[in-house]
């Protein structure tokens, strides 16, 4: 699989890549997940007023973007 580096999001530990037909690809370095449909493209993110939810999205290479809502998970230390 060939992908080009686009951006690194250190606060989320997400690596954003670009695949064929300029599709978004993402790697979650914390969890070792490679799933753009769950991780999204953090350049698309818009937070709700209290940052409990965020609108995320991705470009799938078919001339349009897809968007989805995510709920913030609280992490325990």
């Amino acid at each position: 699989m060939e992908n080009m580096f686009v951006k690194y999001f250190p606060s989320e530990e997400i690596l954003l890549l670009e695949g064929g037909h300029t599709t978004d690809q993402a790697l979650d370095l914390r969890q070792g997940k490679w799933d753009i449909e769950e991780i999204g493209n953090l350049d698309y993110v818009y937070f709700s007023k209290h940052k409990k939810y965020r609108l995320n999205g991705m470009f799938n290479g078919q001339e349009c973007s897809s968007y989805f809502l995510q709920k913030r998970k609280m992490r325990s230390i």
Side-chain angles (χ1 to χ4, degrees):
M1 185 185 320
E2 290 187 28
N3 293 296
M4 294 185 342
F5 173 79
V6 175
K7 195 172 191 177
Y8 174 62
F9 299 91
S11 63
E12 301 277 339
E13 293 187 44
I14 301 291
L15 186 62
L16 182 64
L17 305 162
E18 182 180 291
H21 301 287
T22 68
T23 57
D24 289 336
Q25 301 292 321
L27 176 61
D28 182 331
L29 299 172
R30 288 181 188 156
Q31 299 179 31
K33 282 187 178 180
W34 183 273
D35 186 358
I36 190 64
E37 292 181 6
E38 184 177 328
I39 300 167
N41 178 338
L42 300 184
D43 277 338
Y44 285 40
V45 168
Y46 293 94
F47 287 95
S48 65
K49 183 176 179 180
H50 299 290
K51 297 194 178 200
K52 185 175 180 181
Y53 298 95
R54 70 183 184 186
L55 180 65
N56 199 340
M58 64 175 200
F59 180 72
N60 65 12
Q62 299 298 316
E63 299 181 17
C64 62
S65 296
S66 300
Y67 293 90
F68 50 95
L69 288 173
Q70 295 177 308
K71 184 176 180 178
R72 182 178 178 188
K73 293 180 185 178
M74 301 304 286
R75 294 188 182 163
S76 58
I77 297 176

